[in-house]
């Protein structure tokens, strides 16, 4: 039987959750919104919104033990085949994977370069980054190809031999590297400054947009709305305590985001750099700081980028799994055939994403002022993921017998906590998602 062991599931789902979102995105978004207060709102969003959704996805997966499309039909009140449309998040995760693999290609290229080269100042660092993005198509395709091959190689081997084993190796290594980097950061003079930046709240810096960014980040980081968690949970034996696993996964994810933040802000403050550099924080600001630390800087840089790579690969392999499971279980393909087809799809769209950022081909792949890469990012995180999440919450809240959910959860939760979860899932989560959704589409307040 191809099922996760208990620790295997927790590690694999944590591997999916912990990714570029934690180490690259969380620190720069926190920096942009001024630190402490943003972190508090983020933590509230994790506990009361994202964890609630996470439990919902795990419950559907574990109950049904099927691909996501079939899962919805199986757990629904009506058993109507129409619920099979719930399988659409597989498309979302495949699109995410297309550009995620490209970004992991950047990380890989920074990892390789850091052995011998680090930029001297911010201007050079910025030039390097932009010229890689816009001019070096061959190089980017080369690195994307390596990442795509690694992902395909791992998932080809299936749940236990591939996914569980990769996580069993990569996650502890990631933990060790982060501990090493943390110990180094802890001994820097600027460490207390990083702590106070991240934990002393200044609520005057918080506006609508910051609250919505915190919510969006909470969803993205727990891999919600994409069928990923549901798919992994479908390979989780029924007797496993999903409440305990889910809490552990959210805890691991949150601790790693906070630790990554403390490391990166200590580095930035030590060099007197700004905390609000945006997406270039990791690819532009950090390499310059590493350069100023001489040989040690190269070692730290290599360790940092490999940590980012490990975190990202364990997320990437989770993103292809919903599609593979549908191909295999619903369309009857072999795992090899499913992997080859799924792999070719995201590889091809990744190449288009790369071309869309280049000087030469960019204009042919730019539509309504956004290139394809940006469309993939925007379309998934702002449109498809929220729709996927709201579908799950409304579906479970209104189209599934409450009794089934009680049978699943009352083994692990007392009744009043269960009822609180159910209330949040049925009413609060959809409301919050609608608000995020409308805001991201620019329909309500962007002040
Ligand atoms: N949770 C991942 C991160 O934080 C993002 C992701 C979601 C990746 C789903 C793959 C699939 O980076």
């Amino acid at each position: 039987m191809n099922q996760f062991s208990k620790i295997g599931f927790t590690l694999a789902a944590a591997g999916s959750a912990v990714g570029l979102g934690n180490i690259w995105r969380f620190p720069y978004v926190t920096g942009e919104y001024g630190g402490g207060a943003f972190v508090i709102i983020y933590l509230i969003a994790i506990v009361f919104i994202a964890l609630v959704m996470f439990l919902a996805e795990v419950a559907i997966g574990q109950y049904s033990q099927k691909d996501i499309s079939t899962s919805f039909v199986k757990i629904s009140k009506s058993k109507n085949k129409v619920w099979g449309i719930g399988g659409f998040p597989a498309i979302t995760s495949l699109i995410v994977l297309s550009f995620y693999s490209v970004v992991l290609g950047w990380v890989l290229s920074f990892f390789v370069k850091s052995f011998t080269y680090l930029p001297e100042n911010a201007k050079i660092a910025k030039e390097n980054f932009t010229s890689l993005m816009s001019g070096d198509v061959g190089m980017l395709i080369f690195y994307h190809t390596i990442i795509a091959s690694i992902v395909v190689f791992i998932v080809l081997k299936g749940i236990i031999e591939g996914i569980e084993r990769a996580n069993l190796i990569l996650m502890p290594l990631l933990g060790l590297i982060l501990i090493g980097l943390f110990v180094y950061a802890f001994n820097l003079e600027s460490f207390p400054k990083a702590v106070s930046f991240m934990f002393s709240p200044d609520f005057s810096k918080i506006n609508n947009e910051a609250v919505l960014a915190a919510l969006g980040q909470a969803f993205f980081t727990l891999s919600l709305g994409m069928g990923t968690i549901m798919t992994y949970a479908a390979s989780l034996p029924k007797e496993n305590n999903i409440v305990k696993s889910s809490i552990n996964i959210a805890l691991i994810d949150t601790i790693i985001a906070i630790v990554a933040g403390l490391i990166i802000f200590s580095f930035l403050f030590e060099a007197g750099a700004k905390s609000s550099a945006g997406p270039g924080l990791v690819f532009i600001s950090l390499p310059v700081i590493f350069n100023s630390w001489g040989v040690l800087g190269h070692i730290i840089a290599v360790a940092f980028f490999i940590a980012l790579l490990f975190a990202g690969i364990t997320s990437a392999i989770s993103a292809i799994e919903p599609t593979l499971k549908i191909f295999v279980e619903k369309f009857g393909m072999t795992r090899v055939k499913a992997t080859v087809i799924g792999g070719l799809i995201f590889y091809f769209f990744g190449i288009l994403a790369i071309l869309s950022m280049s000087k030469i081909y960019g204009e042919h792949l730019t539509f309504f002022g956004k290139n394809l890469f940006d469309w993939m990012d925007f379309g998934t995180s702002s449109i498809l993921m929220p729709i996927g999440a709201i579908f799950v919450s409304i579906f479970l809240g209104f189209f599934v017998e409450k009794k089934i959910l009680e049978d699943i959860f009352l083994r692990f939760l007392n009744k009043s906590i269960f009822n609180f979860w159910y209330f949040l899932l049925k009413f609060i989560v959809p409301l919050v998602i609608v608000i995020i959704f409308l805001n991201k589409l620019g329909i309500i307040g962007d002040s």
Side-chain angles (χ1 to χ4, degrees):
M1 241 201 327
N2 216 358
Q3 281 194 320
F4 283 119
S5 67
K6 191 168 151 211
I7 176 76
F9 171 76
T10 303
L11 271 186
S16 171
V18 175
L20 299 173
N22 303 59
I23 305 179
W24 166 61
R25 200 165 183 278
F26 175 74
Y28 90 69
V29 184
T30 302
E32 282 182 333
Y33 291 107
F38 177 84
V39 174
I40 291 181
I41 294 173
Y42 169 78
L43 293 177
I44 295 174
I46 287 281
V47 177
F48 292 102
I49 308 288
L51 183 57
V52 169
M53 272 299 299
F54 194 92
L55 279 165
E57 290 203 17
V58 176
I60 300 176
Q62 193 202 31
Y63 175 86
S64 309
Q65 303 275 313
K66 293 277 184 240
D67 67 88
I68 53 174
S69 174
T70 314
S71 292
F72 283 105
V73 180
K74 190 169 170 190
I75 199 174
S76 68
K77 250 186 237 167
S78 63
K79 308 281 182 270
N80 192 326
K81 288 247 179 325
V82 127
W83 290 117
I85 52 157
F88 78 88
I91 300 172
T92 318
S93 53
L94 213 53
I95 303 174
V96 168
L97 181 54
S98 307
F99 70 83
Y100 208 82
S101 171
V102 172
V103 179
L104 279 174
W106 307 350
V107 175
L108 182 58
S109 87
F110 272 72
F111 163 71
V112 172
K113 250 206 188 130
S114 301
F115 280 93
T116 52
Y117 170 83
L118 288 166
E120 274 145 47
N121 58 47
K123 191 162 164 278
I124 301 178
K126 201 164 176 183
E127 274 167 19
N128 291 348
F129 188 62
T130 7
S131 76
L132 175 71
M133 288 312 106
S134 63
D136 228 339
V137 172
M139 195 60 109
L140 292 174
I141 294 183
F142 171 73
Y143 284 115
H144 167 57
T145 308
I146 297 183
I147 299 289
S149 314
I150 295 174
V151 170
V152 165
F153 176 77
I154 294 173
V155 291
L156 208 48
K157 297 185 172 235
I159 295 283
I160 297 185
E161 294 290 312
I163 296 177
E164 176 161 330
R165 179 170 303 169
N167 278 290
L168 237 42
I169 299 170
L170 295 180
M171 289 304 282
L173 281 177
L174 170 66
L176 280 179
I177 299 172
L178 286 178
I179 291 173
L181 289 170
F182 184 74
V183 168
Y184 184 75
F186 184 78
N187 286 303
L188 293 175
E189 257 169 46
S190 299
F191 185 77
K193 238 169 118 183
V195 173
S196 93
F197 179 72
M198 283 190 71
F199 296 109
S200 33
D202 170 2
F203 282 97
S204 70
K205 295 203 173 116
I206 292 301
N207 53 17
N208 258 349
E209 198 189 320
V211 174
L212 296 167
L215 281 164
Q217 173 65 16
F219 271 100
F220 184 79
T221 194
L222 285 185
S223 307
L224 296 169
M226 286 188 262
T228 319
I229 295 304
M230 222 185 288
T231 301
Y232 269 7
S235 298
L236 180 66
K238 281 206 165 179
E239 62 279 5
N240 277 12
N241 184 336
I242 53 172
V243 175
K244 219 159 125 194
S245 302
S246 300
I247 292 175
N248 284 338
I249 292 158
L251 209 61
I252 294 173
D253 185 74
T254 305
I255 291 173
I256 292 193
I258 302 272
V259 165
L262 287 173
I263 292 171
I264 289 173
F265 290 122
S266 304
F267 288 179
L268 287 176
F269 295 149
E270 192 74 8
K274 280 198 308 244
S275 57
S276 57
L281 195 80
V282 159
F283 294 110
I284 298 171
S285 311
L286 279 187
V288 181
I289 297 169
F290 295 145
N291 177 66
S292 69
W293 294 343
V295 178
L296 187 62
H298 283 277
I299 298 173
I300 305 263
V302 166
F304 178 80
F305 285 113
I306 197 134
L308 203 52
L309 201 61
F310 287 173
I313 285 176
T314 53
S315 298
I317 56 180
S318 76
I320 195 175
E321 198 54 26
T323 308
L324 297 193
K325 209 167 166 66
I326 289 180
F327 281 177
V328 171
E329 294 187 2
K330 225 176 148 76
F331 301 153
M333 290 184 199
T334 60
R335 185 149 182 113
V336 174
K337 187 169 172 194
T339 310
V340 170
I341 296 179
L344 284 175
I345 296 175
F346 89 80
Y347 180 63
F348 174 72
F349 280 101
I351 290 182
L352 289 184
I354 290 174
L355 295 179
S356 79
M357 282 182 294
S358 70
K359 261 205 204 88
I360 315 179
Y361 308 97
E363 62 179 290
H364 303 296
L365 291 162
T366 298
F367 315 98
F368 304 103
K370 258 196 219 308
N371 65 36
L372 190 67
F373 181 95
D374 292 338
W375 271 117
M376 288 178 165
D377 180 9
F378 176 81
T380 49
S381 69
S382 304
I383 300 176
L384 294 172
M385 278 168 62
I387 294 179
I390 208 162
F391 183 86
V392 168
S393 60
I394 292 186
F395 172 79
L396 270 195
F398 295 92
F399 297 96
V400 172
E401 302 278 5
K402 191 173 178 195
K403 171 85 176 52
I404 290 187
L405 296 173
E406 283 173 349
D407 289 346
I408 298 175
F409 281 107
L410 291 184
R411 294 180 290 161
F412 313 121
L413 276 181
N414 74 35
K415 181 111 188 174
S416 47
I417 298 185
F418 169 79
N419 281 331
F420 183 53
W421 169 81
Y422 192 65
F423 168 77
L424 289 174
L425 180 78
K426 196 165 177 172
F427 301 110
I428 304 301
V429 171
L431 189 73
V432 167
I433 300 172
V434 168
I435 295 173
I436 304 180
F437 192 47
L438 295 180
N439 179 272
K440 285 254 179 94
L441 295 182
I443 298 170
I444 54 170
D446 220 21
S447 56

